[in-house]
Amino acid sequence: MIRTTSGIALAGVLVLGVAAAPQDARAESPPRLASHEATYDMQLSSSRSGSGVVGASGTMHYSFTDTCDGYAVNTRTLLSISYGVGSPVMTAWEFSTWESRDGSQYRFKVRNSRNGTLVETIDGRAAMPADGSAGSVTFVQPTEHSLDLPGDTLFPTEHTLLLLAEAQKGTKFINRAVFDGSGDRGPYEVSALIGVQKPAAAPRVGPEKASAGAKDERISTDLLTGPAWPMTMAFFPQEGQDPMPEFQVGLAYHTNGVADSVHQDFGDFSITGTMTDLKPLPKPEC
């Protein structure tokens, strides 16, 4: 399964650490996330001996929308995975969420199909009180049940905003509990390594750009003009004891929350997504 939580190469849980930051970095304005749609070409980048995976390719379509009262995220990933024996397995993973602007409410739904057959549905909602006390999540599918969430749990968009804000300050390591609803269990401990700030990217366009002066460039460079920070996040199930993460996600976040590439490592194999399409979505009239 391909995941993008907040979003997406650490061997163990890291504790919060703050490095010295220049004064002008501390004065940065709070990050503002841009509504956008992006498509990534997904390809197998590595496969460990014994994994059985010999090939993987497909696409991931991602949209992030400001809804005035919150943020809506929709991800659809289509992958063809080859195991060397038999026909490739076609997988489709759809993940839709809505998170309130204050980070107190969260709704989520997952649909996972294999070779055209629905094999998993996860549906529910979660809430975190503003006073910092324990929250809760209620699952409707696959079975009706509820779980408590630790008081410091973040939802994905709030976690992304935290990472960007801390990156601007010069923070290098941060560890937080994050609940995304991608599975029917509690939150992950997410350990993030934040790299050195990269300057604004040079203008670029996607493949198959039309002739000069055309208005249909496949990649909107206006969304990639700000600086970016490479980040690597390791995801550990809170109830687990394994010192190795369940999976890891690497990406470069721009100040507006746009990631121009993503790398996902599942232990036995890893997949890299390269951006092929990017466009802004209309700003809401709040």
Side-chain angles (χ1 to χ4, degrees):
M1 184 193 305
I2 300 301
R3 303 173 184 266
T4 51
T5 52
S6 55
I8 249 171
L10 304 176
V13 176
L14 298 173
V15 296
L16 176 65
V18 180
Q23 189 63 36
D24 58 348
R26 299 180 189 277
E28 292 279 0
S29 59
R32 296 176 62 87
L33 304 181
S35 295
H36 66 282
E37 286 184 350
T39 301
Y40 302 84
D41 175 58
M42 310 296 288
Q43 298 292 332
L44 181 71
S45 56
S46 67
S47 178
R48 291 173 174 78
S49 177
S51 69
V53 177
V54 298
S57 63
T59 59
M60 179 175 69
H61 180 76
Y62 174 88
S63 69
F64 178 91
T65 307
D66 186 330
T67 63
C68 294
D69 58 347
Y71 307 99
V73 177
N74 290 282
T75 305
R76 177 174 171 80
T77 302
L78 302 175
L79 271 184
S80 173
I81 302 177
S82 300
Y83 292 95
V85 178
S87 301
V89 176
M90 304 298 296
T91 66
W93 191 64
E94 300 174 68
F95 189 20
S96 299
T97 69
W98 177 85
E99 181 177 335
S100 63
R101 189 173 291 276
D102 64 359
S104 66
Q105 304 293 322
Y106 185 64
R107 300 193 298 267
F108 55 92
K109 187 169 186 177
V110 177
R111 289 172 58 86
N112 188 17
S113 301
R114 181 172 298 178
N115 290 332
T117 300
L118 183 65
V119 297
E120 180 184 46
T121 299
I122 302 171
D123 191 358
R125 61 177 58 223
M128 292 299 301
D131 62 6
S133 58
S136 63
V137 54
T138 300
F139 292 92
V140 177
Q141 290 181 293
T143 60
E144 293 188 11
H145 66 287
S146 298
L147 297 173
D148 292 331
L149 297 175
D152 60 349
T153 301
L154 300 178
F155 298 134
T157 300
E158 188 176 15
H159 184 239
T160 297
L161 287 166
L162 173 67
L163 290 175
L164 289 171
E166 292 301 313
Q168 290 179 335
K169 297 176 184 177
T171 301
K172 297 304 180 184
F173 304 102
I174 187 168
N175 183 75
R176 293 299 297 267
V178 179
F179 177 80
D180 66 0
S182 60
D184 60 343
R185 58 185 178 186
Y188 283 98
E189 288 290 337
V190 181
S191 298
L193 168 63
I194 303 174
V196 177
Q197 177 181 319
K198 299 164 59 178
R204 54 171 287 192
V205 296
E208 301 176 14
K209 179 185 179 298
S211 59
K215 298 181 180 179
D216 57 345
E217 294 181 359
R218 289 178 55 180
I219 292 181
S220 174
T221 57
D222 289 345
L223 290 167
L224 300 173
T225 56
W229 288 266
M231 301 185 188
T232 303
M233 286 166 275
F235 291 73
F236 300 82
Q238 272 203 330
E239 69 276 14
Q241 301 298 320
D242 194 334
M244 300 298 293
E246 184 173 294
F247 63 98
Q248 299 178 78
V249 176
L251 43 74
Y253 262 141
H254 289 262
T255 51
N256 58 4
V258 175
D260 55 18
S261 64
V262 60
H263 180 79
Q264 304 190 13
D265 188 338
F266 301 95
D268 288 338
F269 67 99
S270 63
I271 293 176
T272 296
T274 302
M275 180 182 287
T276 60
D277 296 80
L278 174 65
K279 68 177 182 180
L281 294 176
K283 295 181 180 180
E285 296 181 1
C286 302

